[in-house]
């Protein structure tokens, strides 16, 4: 089985940084994962991408040769990729039984206007037989005010609906909202739990907006985006928790023949062993 997790979210949300920490963490667990870069404007990576859109087309070349601006250039790059998906198939060919971490670009147009990511998710799962999931990162600065937060929740929702795969919501850069003792103070917990009653506290707004707020609240409740997982890339436990949730979403490892660690009882049946390994991963 092959697995792929799309790391999505607005520009600057911390996607590339999170990809790096996921890879570092996977390596400490002895797992093999590969980075796929889908950002034609990316400049540098801490880990070399195994597959890199810049090998197919680079934003710089498009801007130089076709005289596009940066946004038009990006759109051109993705249309080019969508017309050349066999390039991606060839690049992904050798990666059997593997786990891909796909660093996506942040422009919202790529989810909506040009359905790059939805088509890609579909191509990976239907044509290439990957188990696909996604993470949507929102920067903790979105928790600074309630309206901004709910706008962020709706952007996560629109991404989830467009992609059509299981998606985990992650609040990134949580180190920026920790107090001196390393705890999340104030209303942070309510934001992480996506407490829709925060909306009702926007007192003093015009009645028309209150009705709008109510409609937004019921939309959020219907879509059941229950909570955000806090991410602090400098804290390995937080990266580990998120990785466990991603594994769980894709049922990573559940169809595989379990590998027998050397120190385990040889007589133990394989299914028991597998369950134990899975449970242990969650307990860490
Ligand atoms: N304090 C803090 N800063 C972070 C964290 N994660 C990322 N950053 C910073 O946020 C900025 C943007 O991070 P990137 O990882 O490049 O974000 P991105 O989502 O890949 O950005 P684009 O690819 O441009 O959309 C960088 O300056 C990072 O150093 C974090 O957990 N904590
Ligand atoms: Mg990036």
């Amino acid at each position: 089985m092959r697995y792929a997790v799309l790391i999505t979210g607005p520009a600057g949300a911390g996607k590339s940084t999170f990809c790096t920490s996921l890879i570092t963490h996977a390596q400490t667990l002895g797992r093999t994962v590969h980075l796929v870069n889908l950002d034609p404007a990316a400049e540098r990576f801490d880990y070399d991408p195994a597959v890199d859109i810049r090998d197919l087309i680079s934003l710089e070349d498009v801007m130089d040769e076709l005289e596009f601006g940066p946004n038009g250039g990006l759109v051109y790059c993705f249309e080019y990729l969508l017309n050349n998906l066999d390039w991606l198939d060839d690049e992904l060919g050798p990666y059997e039984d593997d786990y891909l971490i796909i660093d996506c670009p942040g422009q919202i147009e790529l989810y909506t206007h040009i359905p790059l990511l939805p088509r890609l998710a579909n191509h990976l799962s239907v044509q290439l037989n990957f188990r696909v999931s996604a993470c949507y990162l929102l920067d903790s600065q979105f928790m600074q005010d309630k309206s901004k937060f709910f706008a962020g929740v709706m952007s996560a929702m629109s991404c989830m609906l467009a992609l059509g795969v299981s998606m985990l919501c992650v609040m990134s850069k949580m180190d920026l909202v920790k107090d001196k003792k390393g705890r999340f103070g104030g209303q942070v917990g309510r934001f992480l739990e996506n407490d829709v009653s925060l909306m009702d506290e926007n007192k003093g707004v015009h009645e028309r907006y209150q009705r709008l707020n109510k409609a937004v609240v019921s939309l959020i409740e219907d879509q059941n985006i229950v909570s955000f997982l806090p991410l602090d890339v400098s804290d390995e436990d937080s990266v580990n928790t998120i990785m466990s949730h991603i594994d769980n979403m894709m049922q990573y490892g559940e169809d595989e023949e379990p590998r027998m660690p050397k120190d385990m009882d040889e007589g133990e049946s394989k299914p028991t062993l597998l369950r134990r390994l899975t449970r242990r991963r969650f307990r860490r």
Side-chain angles (χ1 to χ4, degrees):
M1 184 47 79
R2 305 160 94 191
Y3 304 87
V5 54
L6 296 151
I7 308 299
T8 66
K15 299 177 291 299
S16 304
T17 310
F18 178 50
C19 289
T20 300
S21 1
L22 274 180
I23 297 172
T24 307
H25 184 64
Q27 288 182 348
T28 63
L29 297 178
R31 277 164 58 171
T32 309
V33 295
H34 301 282
L35 178 65
V36 175
N37 170 43
L38 280 189
D39 184 353
E43 287 182 355
R44 48 158 235 103
F45 288 96
D46 294 319
Y47 292 101
D48 276 339
V51 179
D52 191 343
I53 188 176
R54 294 171 304 175
D55 293 338
L56 175 72
I57 188 160
S58 93
L59 179 63
E60 211 180 343
D61 292 346
V62 171
M63 287 173 65
D64 283 350
E65 286 168 30
L66 302 173
E67 299 187 356
F68 280 155
N71 290 320
L74 270 179
V75 170
Y76 183 90
C77 290
F78 291 119
E79 284 178 342
Y80 192 80
L81 172 63
L82 286 178
N83 290 327
N84 290 282
L85 280 176
D86 50 343
W87 169 83
L88 190 68
D89 300 354
D90 289 346
E91 291 286 305
L92 292 178
Y95 295 100
E96 291 280 333
D97 288 335
D98 264 328
Y99 197 121
L100 305 181
I101 294 175
I102 307 185
D103 189 0
C104 299
Q107 285 74 8
I108 193 80
E109 300 87 328
L110 306 174
Y111 303 72
T112 51
H113 181 56
I114 327 160
L116 167 78
L117 292 176
R119 278 213 29 214
L120 196 75
N122 186 57
H123 186 77
L124 286 171
S125 60
V126 178
Q127 261 82 38
L128 302 180
N129 219 13
F130 273 87
R131 238 178 236 175
V132 185
S133 71
C135 279
Y136 190 88
L137 268 64
L138 204 60
D139 192 319
S140 61
Q141 60 148 335
F142 273 80
M143 297 194 299
Q144 280 163 7
D145 90 60
K146 293 166 196 161
S147 329
K148 197 167 165 186
F149 173 72
F150 285 103
V153 171
M154 286 197 287
S155 74
M157 229 153 55
S158 93
C159 176
M160 184 175 75
L161 294 176
L163 286 179
V165 298
S166 332
M167 196 180 89
L168 196 67
C169 293
V170 172
M171 191 62 74
S172 64
K173 310 189 192 177
M174 287 301 284
D175 51 309
L176 301 179
V177 293
K178 274 185 184 164
D179 63 19
K180 288 200 184 100
K181 291 187 179 149
R183 292 176 310 212
F184 304 136
Q187 295 193 316
V188 170
R190 292 182 68 193
F191 282 109
L192 291 177
E193 287 303 318
N194 204 359
D195 179 354
V196 286
S197 63
L198 282 164
M199 271 293 228
D200 293 335
E201 291 167 15
N202 274 339
K203 297 257 160 28
V205 294
H206 192 280
E207 197 198 328
R208 196 185 332 158
Y209 294 115
Q210 286 181 7
R211 284 207 303 274
L212 177 65
N213 283 354
K214 284 210 170 69
V216 171
V217 164
S218 68
L219 184 68
I220 293 169
E221 285 181 327
D222 284 354
Q223 292 304 326
N224 203 19
I225 291 196
V226 268
S227 55
F228 283 85
L229 285 173
L231 165 66
D232 168 2
V233 285
S234 61
D235 174 3
E236 203 170 343
D237 279 348
S238 115
V239 178
N240 184 54
T241 304
I242 295 175
M243 186 163 230
S244 302
H245 278 80
I246 299 173
D247 289 347
N248 191 28
M249 266 194 308
M250 296 196 288
Q251 295 167 351
Y252 171 76
E254 289 184 8
D255 294 341
E256 316 284 329
E257 279 289 291
R259 287 175 205 157
M260 182 79 79
K262 286 197 182 69
D263 60 349
M264 252 185 202
D265 179 4
E266 295 270 330
E268 192 166 22
S269 76
K270 281 186 177 177
T272 324
L273 180 63
L274 182 61
R275 277 200 298 278
R276 257 179 49 172
L277 288 171
T278 315
R279 254 189 269 129
R280 178 169 340 137
R281 213 170 39 221
F282 280 92
R283 232 186 283 133
R284 275 178 50 119

